[in-house]
């Protein structure tokens, strides 16, 4: 009897040519679609729906839909050619697996070529009912940036606040156990603390590993107001960089201070659509901080997209966001060389238990990014666009934006104006959450008092007129509080000759 049922199901299954996704989904078309029918003859049986996976697949995703007429229930599981890969029962209708991470209930690991089996269990179907099912199979042969969230956390455009540098017990993050001992800190403590802080996104960036990705994928569903970003700190003898987006292994073993050596991981990040940000470039390298200072000087255009200008760990040690150990000098050097590189900040937190009002706590500093939607792609696009500022103290409400107008042209932070020699440019800073401080324009790395203006209240602050000399320049804004301490760091508007 069971053999007849399996034979009937096999006849009902069809491998269809790739088509469009189900109406409620978005993205590329499936690689294969498996379909069939379930009847009362399948009640309390398990059936294996085979499909052949080709060589070189880096990620496998399966999305299943079936008719739920009269309380039909189908449980899901998966097996590869060698072993059982997981079971989600009736809890989920989709699963994704890669070497580094997998949907909860499923095992990450290599995706071997050969016959895989989608397992369908049927705990309930009534007499006379036929339930059609469809399983869409998606594969990736080349690694690409991969979100842990199935959809944007928030689809609305706006300013979103987050922390782009922190560590868990998957590398050198430690926190206190119940007995008060320092132990490797589990991922969930970092995520829960970020949620308590009210952040919109975080990148957990453990050193040279992707071991934390499975935990982040598991936690993303529970923390559905907080975007969990795939990140890691590529830690080399020649300097440290955060990488955002890619989830596959990157060969970090850079043995010389040259781009020729670093290209093996930097080029992979670019190819996959991710971002590279140089971390704490002003830090020394040596026994105090091994490999921390950046020593690769021959980076080509486009190799890096961001620089960590304010590091919370350094701020905790020096008490200042303006220490020479921060990244301003390195960043300004790149800008003066004509590079369009976005300044970001990160707490570099190694202990999720640090009180939130202390320097180096999660969210201090906060990076604030204008995104089209709170999603991984929204974050990557927002950093590339450069409409980003750093809230040094990690407030929840401060704002800094900069716009420029000239001859009918308008540009915001990260944008470019083409200006002829002698033409005037008017810069306007939008500041909120600061009173008693001042806005300072930084022009080609110099803070001339002529372009400094006090802040009386929230709103727009129009700066004195600036005239182009026909050359290439960059202009950005900083905000200091009433004591003169730096509290907001803005990104540039680029002025090009016309």
């Amino acid at each position: 009897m069971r053999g007849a049922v399996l034979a009937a199901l096999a006849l009902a299954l069809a491998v269809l040519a790739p088509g469009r996704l189900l109406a409620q989904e978005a993205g590329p078309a499936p690689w294969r679609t498996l379909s069939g029918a379930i009847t009362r003859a399948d009640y309390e049986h398990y059936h294996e729906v085979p499909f052949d996976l080709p060589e070189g697949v880096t990620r496998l995703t399966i999305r299943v839909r079936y008719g739920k007429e009269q309380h039909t229930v189908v449980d899901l599981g998966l097996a590869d050619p060698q072993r059982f890969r997981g079971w989600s029962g009736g809890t989920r209708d989709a699963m994704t697996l890669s070497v580094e991470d997998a949907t909860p209930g499923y095992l990450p690991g290599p995706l071997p070529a050969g016959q895989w089996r989608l397992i369908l269990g049927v705990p309930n179907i009534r007499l006379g009912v036929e339930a059609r099912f469809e399983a869409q199979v998606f594969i990736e042969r080349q690694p690409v940036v991969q979100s842990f969230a199935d959809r944007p956390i928030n689809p609305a455009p706006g300013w979103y606040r987050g922390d782009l540098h922190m560590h868990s017990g998957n590398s050198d993050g430690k926190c206190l156990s119940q007995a008060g001992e320092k132990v490797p800190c589990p991922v969930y403590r970092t995520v829960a603390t970020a949620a308590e802080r009210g952040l919109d996104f975080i990148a957990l960036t453990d050193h040279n590993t992707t071991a934390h990705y499975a935990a982040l994928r598991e936690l993303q569903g529970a923390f559905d107001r907080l975007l969990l970003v795939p990140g890691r700190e590529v830690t080399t003898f020649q300097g440290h960089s955060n990488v955002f987006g890619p989830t596959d292994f990157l060969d970090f073993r850079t043995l010389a201070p040259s781009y020729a050596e670093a290209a093996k991981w930097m080029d992979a990040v670019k190819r996959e659509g991710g971002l590279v940000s140089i971390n704490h470039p002003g830090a020394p390298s040596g026994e105090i901080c091994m490999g921390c200072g950046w020593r690769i000087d021959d980076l080509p255009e486009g190799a890096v997209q961001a620089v960590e200008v304010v590091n919370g760990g350094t701020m905790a040690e020096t008490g200042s966001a303006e220490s020479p150990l921060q990244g301003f000098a390195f960043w300004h050097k790149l800008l003066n060389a004509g590079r369009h590189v976005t300044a970001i900040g990160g707490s570099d937190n190694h202990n999720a238990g640090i009180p939130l009002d202390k320097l180096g706590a999660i969210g201090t500093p906060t990076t604030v990014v204008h995104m089209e939607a709170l999603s991984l792609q929204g974050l990557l696009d927002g950093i590339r666009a450069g409409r980003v500022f750093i809230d040094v103290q990690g407030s929840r409400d401060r704002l800094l934006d900069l716009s420029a107008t000239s001859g009918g042209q308008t540009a915001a932070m990260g944008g470019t104006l083409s200006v002829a020699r002698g033409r005037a440019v008017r810069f306007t800073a939008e500041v909120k959450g600061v009173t008693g401080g001042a806005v300072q324009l930084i022009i080609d790395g110099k803070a001339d008092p002529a372009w400094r203006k006090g802040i009386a209240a929230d709103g727009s602050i129009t700066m004195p007129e600036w005239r182009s000399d026909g050359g290439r320049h960059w202009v950005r804004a900083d905000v200091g509080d009433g004591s003169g301490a730096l509290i907001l760091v803005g990104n540039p508007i680029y002025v090009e000759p016309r």
Side-chain angles (χ1 to χ4, degrees):
M1 177 65 180
R2 178 170 172 78
V5 172
L6 285 173
L9 183 62
L11 287 173
L13 290 175
V15 180
L16 306 178
R20 298 301 300 170
L21 269 170
L22 299 177
Q24 73 269 28
E25 302 290 350
W31 167 72
R32 292 286 186 272
T33 301
L34 312 172
S35 66
I38 297 168
T39 69
R40 179 66 179 184
D42 305 311
Y43 175 58
E44 292 188 345
H45 284 78
Y46 297 100
H47 302 297
E48 295 183 351
V49 183
F51 60 96
D52 290 325
L53 202 67
E55 295 279 358
V57 173
T58 62
R59 182 173 293 274
L60 168 66
T61 300
I62 303 176
R63 295 176 181 154
V64 180
R65 183 174 69 173
Y66 67 91
K68 299 183 180 181
E69 297 87 350
Q70 300 184 45
H71 303 285
T72 298
V73 177
V74 176
D75 294 340
L76 300 180
L78 188 66
D80 71 19
Q82 286 89 39
R83 63 176 180 145
F84 183 69
R85 294 298 290 265
W87 185 259
S88 54
T91 302
R92 306 179 189 281
D93 59 7
M95 63 198 78
T96 185
L97 297 85
S98 75
V99 173
E100 289 79 14
D101 65 277
T103 297
Y106 294 86
L107 300 175
L111 306 178
Q115 188 177 90
W116 286 61
R117 290 150 290 152
L118 175 65
I119 304 170
L120 306 178
V122 186
N124 196 62
I125 188 168
R126 292 178 177 177
L127 286 168
V129 172
E130 179 182 275
R132 301 289 302 179
F133 72 86
E134 183 178 270
Q136 296 183 319
V137 182
F138 301 81
I139 62 172
E140 295 173 8
R141 287 188 173 92
Q142 296 296 327
V144 294
V145 297
Q146 181 67 221
S147 178
F148 301 132
D150 294 332
R151 58 187 59 85
I153 301 298
N154 188 333
W159 292 99
Y160 293 102
R161 316 178 83 85
D163 192 338
L164 290 169
H165 190 171
M166 55 189 69
H167 299 276
S168 77
N170 286 282
S171 58
D172 54 352
K174 293 188 180 296
C175 54
L176 296 181
S177 69
Q178 288 181 309
E181 300 292 331
K182 279 191 175 182
V183 297
C185 202
V187 171
Y188 83 87
R189 289 201 184 178
T190 294
V191 176
T193 303
E196 178 187 352
R197 178 110 199 191
L199 298 179
D200 300 308
F201 64 88
I202 60 168
L204 186 58
T205 53
D206 281 315
H207 298 278
N208 293 336
T209 184
T210 58
H212 50 298
Y213 288 174
L216 290 174
R217 183 172 288 280
E218 179 180 13
L219 291 168
Q220 180 64 88
F223 290 87
D224 53 2
R225 295 181 180 176
L226 176 66
L227 178 68
L228 305 181
V229 177
R232 82 197 78 168
E233 186 167 13
V234 176
T235 306
T236 80
F237 302 138
Q238 321 302 330
H240 300 183
S241 289
N242 274 347
V243 168
F244 308 116
T247 57
D248 60 315
F249 171 72
L250 299 172
D251 191 349
F252 58 88
R253 294 168 292 186
T254 304
L255 299 178
S258 69
Y259 179 70
E261 272 286 295
K264 59 188 172 186
W265 59 269
M266 283 189 165
D267 286 358
V269 175
K270 183 177 181 179
R271 186 168 56 248
E272 295 171 28
L275 295 181
V276 175
S277 174
I278 296 175
N279 287 348
H280 41 66
S285 288
E287 290 186 3
I288 295 176
C289 193
M290 293 172 285
C292 288
W294 189 258
R295 294 194 285 153
I296 300 173
D297 293 328
D298 61 341
L299 295 175
E301 178 75 34
V304 301
Q305 294 74 48
V307 173
E308 185 185 71
V309 169
V310 181
N311 176 277
T314 303
M315 198 161 56
E317 292 176 5
T318 64
S320 172
E322 300 175 88
S323 160
L325 299 181
Q326 296 287 6
F328 287 95
F330 182 85
W331 178 45
H332 287 178
K333 180 180 177 181
L334 291 178
L335 295 176
N336 285 334
R339 307 291 175 88
H340 291 202
V341 181
T342 302
I344 62 174
S347 67
D348 202 356
N349 177 269
H350 286 70
N351 179 359
I354 294 176
L356 296 180
D357 60 347
K358 301 296 184 183
L359 293 177
I362 289 172
T364 307
T366 294
T367 299
V368 189
V369 183
H370 194 276
M371 306 183 203
E372 290 304 307
L374 180 55
S375 65
L376 176 59
Q377 198 58 53
L379 173 70
L380 300 178
D381 291 346
I383 293 175
R384 285 192 183 97
R387 198 169 176 207
V388 177
F389 70 91
I390 303 168
D391 188 330
V392 172
Q393 296 173 342
S395 80
R396 294 195 182 195
D397 57 359
R398 286 177 178 158
L399 172 69
L400 170 61
D401 201 2
L402 185 67
S403 62
T405 58
S406 180
Q409 298 180 80
T410 301
M413 277 196 302
T416 301
L417 284 179
S418 296
V419 183
R421 180 184 180 89
R423 293 298 297 267
V425 180
R426 180 71 72 182
F427 292 94
T428 301
E430 185 76 19
V431 181
K432 293 182 180 178
V434 181
T435 52
V439 177
Q440 172 69 62
L441 290 187
I442 311 295
I443 303 175
D444 299 332
K446 298 176 182 177
D448 189 326
W451 281 281
R452 181 181 179 85
K453 207 164 187 180
I455 302 168
D458 287 0
S460 298
I461 300 169
T462 301
M463 306 302 290
E465 187 176 85
W466 178 82
R467 288 190 177 273
S468 171
D469 60 4
R472 173 182 289 168
H473 300 278
W474 55 269
V475 181
R476 65 178 192 84
D478 281 344
V479 173
D481 65 12
S483 69
L486 180 65
I487 57 173
L488 299 175
V489 178
N491 269 283
I493 291 173
Y494 303 93
V495 179
E496 299 288 344
R498 191 171 187 176

